[in-house]
Amino acid sequence: MTTLLITGATIIDGVADKPLTDSAILIDGGRIKAIGHREALDVAPHVRTLDLAGKFVIPGLMNANVHLLVNASLETLLRFEGRYEALIEEAAQVALKAGMTTVFDTWGPRRALINVRDRIESGETVGSRIRCAGNIIGFDGPFSPDFFGKAAEIASSWFVDRVNAAWVENSGRHLMWMTPEQVGAEVSRYIERGIDFVKYGATEHGAMAAGAFLQFSERTQQAIVEAGRAAGRTVQAHSTTVEGLRMSIEAGCDLITHCNMTGPVPIPVETLDLFERTQCGAVIFPVTEAGLAHVKGAVSDLEWTMWSAGDKNARRLIGSGAPILLGNDGGVFAKELLREPWLKATWNGMPEQEALGRLATGHFAWLRAMEEKGMPAMDLLHAATRNIARAYKLDTDLGTLEVGKIADMVVLDKDPLEAADHYRSIHAVIKGGVSVDLDALPERPLLTAELAPPLEEEANFKRFLVHGTRLPGCPSCISGGH
Amino acid sequence: MTTLLITGATIIDGVADKPLTDSAILIDGGRIKAIGHREALDVAPHVRTLDLAGKFVIPGLMNANVHLLVNASLETLLRFEGRYEALIEEAAQVALKAGMTTVFDTWGPRRALINVRDRIESGETVGSRIRCAGNIIGFDGPFSPDFFGKAAEIASSWFVDRVNAAWVENSGRHLMWMTPEQVGAEVSRYIERGIDFVKYGATEHGAMAAGAFLQFSERTQQAIVEAGRAAGRTVQAHSTTVEGLRMSIEAGCDLITHCNMTGPVPIPVETLDLFERTQCGAVIFPVTEAGLAHVKGAVSDLEWTMWSAGDKNARRLIGSGAPILLGNDGGVFAKELLREPWLKATWNGMPEQEALGRLATGHFAWLRAMEEKGMPAMDLLHAATRNIARAYKLDTDLGTLEVGKIADMVVLDKDPLEAADHYRSIHAVIKGGVSVDLDALPERPLLTAELAPPLEEEANFKRFLVHGTRLPGCPSCISGGH
Amino acid sequence: MTTLLITGATIIDGVADKPLTDSAILIDGGRIKAIGHREALDVAPHVRTLDLAGKFVIPGLMNANVHLLVNASLETLLRFEGRYEALIEEAAQVALKAGMTTVFDTWGPRRALINVRDRIESGETVGSRIRCAGNIIGFDGPFSPDFFGKAAEIASSWFVDRVNAAWVENSGRHLMWMTPEQVGAEVSRYIERGIDFVKYGATEHGAMAAGAFLQFSERTQQAIVEAGRAAGRTVQAHSTTVEGLRMSIEAGCDLITHCNMTGPVPIPVETLDLFERTQCGAVIFPVTEAGLAHVKGAVSDLEWTMWSAGDKNARRLIGSGAPILLGNDGGVFAKELLREPWLKATWNGMPEQEALGRLATGHFAWLRAMEEKGMPAMDLLHAATRNIARAYKLDTDLGTLEVGKIADMVVLDKDPLEAADHYRSIHAVIKGGVSVDLDALPERPLLTAELAPPLEEEANFKRFLVHGTRLPGCPSCISGGH
Amino acid sequence: MTTLLITGATIIDGVADKPLTDSAILIDGGRIKAIGHREALDVAPHVRTLDLAGKFVIPGLMNANVHLLVNASLETLLRFEGRYEALIEEAAQVALKAGMTTVFDTWGPRRALINVRDRIESGETVGSRIRCAGNIIGFDGPFSPDFFGKAAEIASSWFVDRVNAAWVENSGRHLMWMTPEQVGAEVSRYIERGIDFVKYGATEHGAMAAGAFLQFSERTQQAIVEAGRAAGRTVQAHSTTVEGLRMSIEAGCDLITHCNMTGPVPIPVETLDLFERTQCGAVIFPVTEAGLAHVKGAVSDLEWTMWSAGDKNARRLIGSGAPILLGNDGGVFAKELLREPWLKATWNGMPEQEALGRLATGHFAWLRAMEEKGMPAMDLLHAATRNIARAYKLDTDLGTLEVGKIADMVVLDKDPLEAADHYRSIHAVIKGGVSVDLDALPERPLLTAELAPPLEEEANFKRFLVHGTRLPGCPSCISGGH
């Protein structure tokens, strides 16, 4: 790491109310040594200078909620068996290329995540800085009813258990049987395995009662938070109901993911107040206007009630005084999956520009969506940087361009305060004071690689009717798969 | 049964090329005693005279393929447990009211059908004359993979076996394991239980390979036909492929149901020639133009190929020289079933006017559909009367208005030779020389009764999201029930 | 109601530590007017006297947890459509015949239950006295994932919604989306529809995560209890985890059903203490030794862990100071259901003598099971009488043989304090001072009637291999339904 | 390939009735140049001599029915994506190591099989000589209802179509819709893609109606056979009913696989006669006594009827005059699959020694099973060698030890005519005149490799109750997944 001087750019440091227009940044040893008028800086001779006239320098973007191995389907986990770290590495590079110098992985296989995190930390590998939770406390593995339950019907028990274990270890659904004290003890043991922060399920993961069941009682949630605190970790909750939200804020969580998603019921004023009072971080999942229009055409009325409530919540949270964090469950999805028609009614089935969950672009959709909902431009920047650093208690090192902090920054061609879409105009990414070779990322494309071309045999293939196709032979055939 | 003289009407006797415009019909003892000029008839004094000036008298309509208990779903068979004969009776009355004096039930519970048939025959009950096949040889019961397989997962074994036995007896799928001789012997035993004609499956019933599997070999089909012949029964086949069609005609069948439905492959010329040469009866399932438009919008491309081929087959059969028979799997469907959205892509999901399979109206849709496809008006009449009587070898008694035959006739307000839709203008139905009180039918509405009104409790009911509803909480939720 | 004098019997009044051996009971106007030495009683001349020398008179048995319409399967609800009240009446008569003068129905269709309750109350119908909760707050209907989810795949939406509404009204799963205040308000509205007490789900009903999910937070549980209290109702919880148990006791419940069932984790000492301190009623579901042996052979190791923990809990609750209540989810099960092989690994699959859930006999199994686990004889009596009356706050009228109370009593041939099985020796049942004609019950057998004999057709029926049968044709057929 | 002289061994040449005890075999250029007394042979000096005193030399074993890629489950096809040829190569080496110098692959992915076949043929790779059919005409791919239908519910359409295409090309289920002529033309096209012989489905593959449906009519079967003959290929059928068997022999098949498996109905005498008259090859699937005992304990009565009939058929075929061929659907199964409990009721669930379908050992089980059923020792040898060569019309080159034939032979330590189990005593395998290095096989173990050891995470993993576990909380829980 050498010394570097950045000059000529408009600097939006994440601290000041306004951009600094005639300042330079001096980087040394990976950190910001000084910011100020070029002339006022104490710069050694022959220091490498980067002239960024006409560009905009902002703090490195952060993402409060990603899943570097999100595509935990049977197909992907088998195809890349033994290479999960390579998938995570690829994702960390996709994130970095998209301007995110730090990402928080809030669900994934602990050991693989930690290994990649450490390789990036040591400089062995390039990629976004990773902080990770491992499993969500209380959730079972990818091949369980909590996620892809059907996989367990078709794959061998040997593989099913192996995959589930890689995610769950001692932190799974069986904790629900336990007392608060017992759960707290298990969480402490899980923390010892090297995770950076704790995430637990306040509510269940969707497939059972659409997210309405509670995973843990208030007292158990408190025990989890205490176990986290005792180990110096921040703690966050997955919540999808208004009661789950209230419980987890009151339990003392540092942040709540997709907190605007509360089923068909809007967040009560009392809970908005609670957010403000506790300064609990609110990770919002917003949808753009175009995205909402797409969803409305693809889902049932009942489901629309829920999307609609989520949108109203997002709008009300903007003015609530809660620290708002950018997060999107961002991940890299397999190309063959994104072609499936059933995806249509989901976040990822939206048109590419609006899809929230894509690691490479979803944060840009997030910023535009929140801009549409009325969030001021500087607040958008804070949501993507400073607020996240604070919520995760990493603001000593990260989140703003201040002297002494790690020199993470993104250089944009266009002014991000003018339009949220300008965040897409990435000119350069500097992480830890070093300019990243963006063109080289990802270094070894796996999920981002093109699908293999058709086989010779596919030219001759005639697909038969799938099982259950209704034959137009019998008018009386009312059975139709019943 | 008394004597009756019908005068004044235009008589379309099903024999002459043209209507008889100044003839009367003398009925005695349930049969036609004479047809001719009023003056030429030897009529006793005080004979009851029916003046039908301006009306049109045609032979009683027949339907070559109905299912008087078609709604063999778990729900209906439980709701009407112990009352299957009442359901059949209701259907026979619906048929009679719609102008059908004779119907051929080609799939149903043998004992119940026979009992109702006999009660109608003896005059104990009013209704369309029934001739029935009982089960389709080779098919399993309603609660089997051949029909409503899921019922077997949910109902008690006791009830499942009981219902299946009522349809199947010794004639089910297990015959497929046997030699031709063994199958022939079982068919003979089944005939002894009182069925009027034999129907077997040349191909399977749709749910396994969309109808493409063969149920029986050529030799077994011949053995079944021989068993039928030996017992003086006509024999017919259920077929849904071009090869099934060829096999069953060559095996010597008297008629083939829904013979125009042959999957995606059109009937070859050789098979059309075979129809003409053998004069095997061709029961066609035609769809109206409006019906086809509806279907095209509701089914997949692959399924549409099949509907489309079926339509082409119907058109080509019209000019093929094959005796064409009206038949439509007509039945009475439960009202709650007809409200289900999944019905949309089926015969019964078409708009009411186009739906082929409704017992009360489907034959009218049949006539209009075939008229649209170019079938001459007199041929339409024959398809609905004479051709059916001949194919079933009942033309000594039925099918035309000729001296000596049973006095079955329908009186129409409008000329059926002018437009097929005029068949709907039923003024009166005379069966066995007796005028039917149409307003009284059906006497005891069950499936045709209105649905019960909502319960008091339904006013307060909030339907929860069904299992599997996709919660918009996690963008990463790509699992969606997978 | 006339006056009645009972003499000669040993009286176990549920109050005294020991039986009264030379006392008589004077009943007047349906209530106990006096108890004491025959000579000391002020008896009018010509009063009808019942000499019960050698017999044992105990308070009418009560059951804290029955389901008079427990068999809410699709098959039963269709077969008896429109006759649910008749099913409930039958069950109330089965209960009365088995010595239970009062039963508490803790899950069922509100309106039907109330109607039968009122008819019995008014004397229009004979049967056990009913107090009912209607639906369990938070649970969805019979045809939902909470109970028989598959029914919704096969029955019409019309019927599914109708049945679900009859149970759920405004009290179902959708409450889980709401705030505590909103839930409380809905409960108040539900109470207004005429239920006698409130029951809610502290934990979910088994099928999602084997009962481990929480249905409501502590605060919501408190809101439910408050809504009940405000309306003068007792409140109870369905709980199946140790944390659910703690939460519901602390929320102020009057009793907890099957409180010994807490998954694989035993109840902590703190919670046992809580029971004693709050005097919350503990409805225990105990299994006899023979029953446990049966279960162990039929379930997986993991499931056995849960049965085993449940047994340990039962034993520890005996000495805990908690008021123990007899309750067993007792109901009348359809005969065809009890023949299904998959029942083997369930409570109802145990040998008849050990099966806890049978309304006619399960309470006897309960008493024997608890006797085996060491519960003193007099405590057994209290569990089946006084404790239940107290928990439901009906001890002014019920639960013991005391002057002023309703004259409900059971006359036994054998001494119940000698052996729990002696409760089976019912000689007579007196309810409200009137002797019940036990031989006449149930008056109109429906579920208790014999199954219909086989149909004629069943003699000929050959059952085909069910779908998925593995054919021994291909050694390579490892697919086997996969 | 050099010259080799084999001396000292007992030679069972597959031609003579008795072993040759004092003969030598001279091999040159990969073929047998001479057999006779050592002294009588014209042997060049310095020829390499293999002294096999005390050993037994038999023709190279053949297997008429293997599947070198049998484990076509979703898990295996994903795990080894892109390496299917390596799996086939491994299997060909497993076969060779087990004494099979030639195997006939009767179902698999055409292109991959052909490529490996050619590499072995050219000497590029070592392995059993392969002749292959590609797909079974009329069957759909691995991820279809014909095999592992559930895979299509869980894997991406992209992968499902890709795999299915690799097996099916133009030869799948859609042929069932076609006329005989059309099917014949498709088969001709499929042959052109390089398969060695034709195999078609006379009956369906088990999962629909347990194998009882017919796939093709007699006429279509004849058209397939004609297409094969016209291209100089032998033709065989998959059949699982007595009628399927008769049809395929009459259609002119050269051999029929698992012809003794005919559901619950034994093969009629007429069909046994047909076998003898046509000399159609009968590939029998026999089970040992110990294997049958195992099966009986694991399957239902109905399934046992089928196993039992298959055994009777095997016994009767032995004396029928039909040429009997060894074949067993032999393949290499994934180790994780063989641990699944549901395997118990299948061929592969038998104890290792009795399991017919294992490529490495199943042929030994075959020989012992047939010995137990009374097949003479020399006939056993013929079934495993000469009869197969003849049925496949390859007896000019293969099947016996005769001058001019390819020098394939197996050297045994023990006399195979003494006990069938002595075939296991393989001392050496000579293929094409070259001694195989058995210890080196398989060269690159994939499916035969050991399973990976447990992950670190598995030490901490607590498996939660699977979805649907019955909670012992509610005696009324009769739903149990219903």
Side-chain angles (χ1 to χ4, degrees), chain A residues 431-479:
Chain A
K431 186 188 159 215
V434 178
S435 195
V436 179
D437 179 1
L438 299 181
D439 292 339
L441 302 184
E443 295 171 327
R444 280 170 297 276
L446 296 170
L447 284 177
T448 58
E450 289 309 308
L451 286 176
L455 299 173
E456 172 210 318
E457 293 90 333
E458 294 188 71
N460 307 314
F461 181 49
K462 298 235 177 61
R463 194 178 182 175
F464 190 73
L465 303 169
V466 292
H467 187 69
T469 295
R470 206 182 300 268
L471 173 77
C474 296
S476 58
C477 280
I478 51 169
S479 56

Side-chain angles (χ1 to χ4, degrees), chain A residues 132-420:
Chain A
C132 65
N135 190 40
I136 296 174
I137 305 296
F139 284 8
D140 255 23
F143 302 158
S144 78
D146 280 335
F147 296 92
F148 302 85
K150 267 196 189 172
E153 297 172 27
I154 201 171
S156 67
S157 312
W158 177 80
F159 187 64
V160 167
D161 280 359
R162 195 171 174 88
V163 164
N164 285 341
W167 261 254
V168 169
E169 302 186 84
N170 70 320
S171 72
R173 270 193 175 192
H174 67 285
L175 300 192
M176 292 195 288
W177 293 118
M178 297 183 180
T179 64
E181 296 67 34
Q182 291 168 330
V183 174
E186 292 292 338
V187 170
S188 298
R189 270 192 283 278
Y190 188 61
I191 291 172
E192 284 168 19
R193 293 198 180 94
I195 56 169
D196 299 301
F197 57 92
V198 173
K199 181 176 182 184
Y200 70 85
T203 52
E204 49 103 11
H205 189 251
M208 311 299 121
F213 282 128
L214 293 171
Q215 196 105 18
F216 292 118
S217 72
E218 303 184 8
R219 191 172 296 181
T220 302
Q221 295 192 36
Q222 288 158 10
I224 295 170
V225 172
E226 281 162 27
R229 292 271 177 276
R233 301 298 197 281
T234 65
V235 181
Q236 62 185 270
H238 161 106
S239 168
T240 48
T241 67
V242 293
E243 188 63 354
L245 197 55
R246 183 194 63 75
M247 292 164 82
S248 47
I249 303 178
E250 294 200 342
C253 278
D254 298 287
L255 57 114
I256 321 278
T257 57
H258 43 72
C259 68
N260 59 313
M261 305 313 303
T262 54
V265 173
I267 303 175
V269 171
E270 292 75 11
T271 304
L272 291 176
D273 292 348
L274 205 52
F275 259 121
E276 188 186 18
R277 200 160 61 244
T278 60
Q279 286 295 298
C280 174
V283 181
I284 296 180
F285 278 12
V287 186
T288 62
E289 292 303 308
L292 284 169
H294 166 90
V295 162
K296 194 168 187 177
V299 302
S300 72
D301 285 356
L302 192 44
E303 287 171 301
W304 173 246
T305 320
M306 300 167 79
W307 287 90
S308 180
D311 188 52
K312 289 205 191 73
N313 287 337
R315 291 170 188 275
R316 294 174 66 215
L317 277 159
I318 289 175
S320 71
I324 291 176
L325 316 187
L326 183 153
N328 65 339
D329 275 0
V332 180
F333 295 93
K335 286 195 164 58
E336 68 279 4
L337 187 88
L338 292 175
R339 291 159 38 147
E340 294 293 334
W342 56 259
L343 208 74
K344 212 185 156 207
T346 71
W347 296 84
N348 286 298
M350 294 180 198
E352 171 103 25
Q353 291 292 310
E354 324 300 332
L356 189 64
R358 313 286 177 88
L359 188 59
T361 55
H363 54 311
F364 300 135
W366 192 100
L367 290 160
R368 182 155 44 80
M370 291 300 273
E371 179 186 50
E372 287 176 1
K373 289 174 216 314
M375 195 166 178
M378 193 59 91
D379 290 359
L380 290 176
L381 182 77
H382 294 165
T385 55
R386 191 178 72 180
N387 295 358
I388 296 175
R390 284 184 186 164
Y392 278 101
K393 302 198 171 144
L394 296 171
D395 49 332
T396 310
D397 288 330
L398 302 172
T400 57
L401 300 178
E402 288 182 272
V403 173
K405 288 200 177 180
I406 292 173
D408 286 354
M409 53 196 80
V410 172
V411 184
L412 300 173
D413 288 325
K414 301 186 191 167
D415 183 358
L417 299 180
E418 214 167 67

Side-chain angles (χ1 to χ4, degrees), chain B residues 267-286:
Chain B
I267 304 175
V269 172
E270 294 75 12
T271 304
L272 292 177
D273 291 348
L274 205 53
F275 259 121
E276 187 185 19
R277 200 160 62 243
T278 59
Q279 286 296 299
C280 174
V283 181
I284 295 179
F285 278 12

Side-chain angles (χ1 to χ4, degrees), chain C residues 34-218:
Chain C
I35 305 183
H37 276 273
R38 171 64 188 89
E39 294 74 28
L41 297 185
D42 176 19
V43 184
H46 311 304
V47 157
R48 192 159 74 85
T49 300
L50 201 59
D51 179 19
L52 293 171
K55 308 295 182 192
F56 299 82
V57 174
I58 61 174
L61 296 174
M62 307 177 84
N63 190 324
N65 183 11
V66 305
H67 305 304
L68 296 170
L69 205 173
V70 76
N71 206 128
S73 69
L74 178 60
E75 183 166 340
T76 294
L77 292 189
L78 274 165
R79 183 168 287 134
F80 296 100
E81 198 178 359
R83 292 185 284 169
Y84 302 163
E85 294 188 14
L87 290 179
I88 291 166
E89 204 170 296
E90 178 187 23
Q93 296 180 347
V94 166
L96 186 57
K97 185 172 191 167
M100 291 175 281
T101 47
T102 306
V103 291
F104 296 86
D105 188 296
T106 69
W107 176 78
R110 177 195 56 84
R111 187 162 51 87
L113 282 165
I114 285 176
N115 288 349
V116 178
R117 174 195 72 188
D118 292 348
R119 279 207 298 278
I120 290 174
E121 205 68 14
S122 71
E124 194 180 332
T125 300
V126 65
S128 186
R129 184 178 295 104
I130 298 173
R131 291 296 175 267
C132 65
N135 190 39
I136 297 175
I137 306 294
F139 285 6
D140 255 25
F143 302 157
S144 78
D146 281 335
F147 295 92
F148 301 86
K150 267 196 188 172
E153 296 173 28
I154 201 169
S156 68
S157 311
W158 177 80
F159 186 65
V160 167
D161 279 0
R162 196 173 174 86
V163 164
N164 284 341
W167 261 254
V168 169
E169 304 186 84
N170 70 321
S171 71
R173 268 194 177 192
H174 67 285
L175 300 191
M176 291 196 287
W177 294 117
M178 297 182 180
T179 64
E181 296 68 33
Q182 291 168 330
V183 174
E186 291 293 338
V187 170
S188 297
R189 271 193 282 279
Y190 189 60
I191 292 172
E192 284 168 20
R193 297 204 175 89
I195 57 170
D196 300 300
F197 57 93
V198 174
K199 181 176 182 185
Y200 69 86
T203 52
E204 47 102 15
H205 189 249
M208 311 298 121
F213 281 129
L214 293 172
Q215 196 105 18
F216 293 118
S217 72
E218 301 184 9

Side-chain angles (χ1 to χ4, degrees), chain D residues 86-378:
Chain D
L87 289 179
I88 292 167
E89 206 169 295
E90 178 187 22
Q93 296 179 348
V94 166
L96 185 58
K97 185 171 190 168
M100 291 176 281
T101 48
T102 306
V103 292
F104 296 86
D105 188 296
T106 68
W107 176 78
R110 177 195 56 83
R111 189 161 52 86
L113 283 164
I114 285 177
N115 287 349
V116 178
R117 173 195 73 188
D118 292 348
R119 279 206 298 278
I120 290 174
E121 203 71 14
S122 72
E124 196 181 328
T125 301
V126 65
S128 186
R129 184 179 292 107
I130 298 172
R131 291 296 175 267
C132 66
N135 190 39
I136 297 175
I137 306 294
F139 284 9
D140 255 23
F143 302 157
S144 78
D146 281 336
F147 296 92
F148 301 85
K150 267 195 188 170
E153 296 172 28
I154 200 169
S156 68
S157 311
W158 178 80
F159 186 64
V160 167
D161 280 0
R162 196 172 173 88
V163 163
N164 284 341
W167 260 255
V168 168
E169 302 186 85
N170 70 320
S171 72
R173 268 193 176 194
H174 67 285
L175 300 191
M176 292 196 286
W177 293 118
M178 297 184 181
T179 64
E181 295 69 33
Q182 291 168 330
V183 174
E186 291 293 338
V187 170
S188 297
R189 272 192 282 278
Y190 189 62
I191 291 173
E192 284 168 19
R193 294 200 178 94
I195 57 169
D196 299 302
F197 58 93
V198 174
K199 181 176 181 184
Y200 69 86
T203 53
E204 48 102 12
H205 189 250
M208 310 301 122
F213 281 130
L214 293 171
Q215 196 105 17
F216 293 118
S217 72
E218 301 183 9
R219 192 173 291 180
T220 301
Q221 294 192 36
Q222 288 157 12
I224 295 170
V225 172
E226 280 161 26
R229 292 272 177 276
R233 301 297 198 282
T234 64
V235 182
Q236 62 185 268
H238 162 106
S239 169
T240 47
T241 67
V242 293
E243 188 62 354
L245 197 55
R246 183 194 64 74
M247 291 165 83
S248 47
I249 304 178
E250 292 199 343
C253 278
D254 298 289
L255 57 112
I256 321 280
T257 56
H258 42 74
C259 68
N260 59 313
M261 304 314 301
T262 54
V265 173
I267 303 174
V269 171
E270 292 76 10
T271 304
L272 292 177
D273 291 349
L274 205 53
F275 259 121
E276 186 184 20
R277 201 160 63 243
T278 60
Q279 286 296 297
C280 175
V283 181
I284 294 179
F285 278 11
V287 186
T288 61
E289 292 303 309
L292 285 170
H294 166 89
V295 163
K296 194 166 187 179
V299 301
S300 72
D301 285 357
L302 193 44
E303 288 172 300
W304 173 246
T305 319
M306 299 168 80
W307 287 90
S308 179
D311 188 53
K312 289 206 191 73
N313 286 337
R315 292 169 187 276
R316 293 173 66 216
L317 277 159
I318 289 175
S320 72
I324 290 176
L325 315 186
L326 181 154
N328 63 340
D329 276 359
V332 179
F333 296 93
K335 286 194 163 57
E336 69 278 6
L337 186 89
L338 292 176
R339 291 158 38 147
E340 295 293 334
W342 55 258
L343 208 74
K344 211 184 157 207
T346 71
W347 295 84
N348 287 299
M350 295 179 197
E352 172 101 26
Q353 291 292 311
E354 323 299 331
L356 190 64
R358 314 286 176 88
L359 188 58
T361 54
H363 54 311
F364 300 136
W366 192 100
L367 290 160
R368 182 154 45 79
M370 291 299 273
E371 179 186 50
E372 286 176 3
K373 291 175 212 314
M375 196 166 178
M378 193 58 91

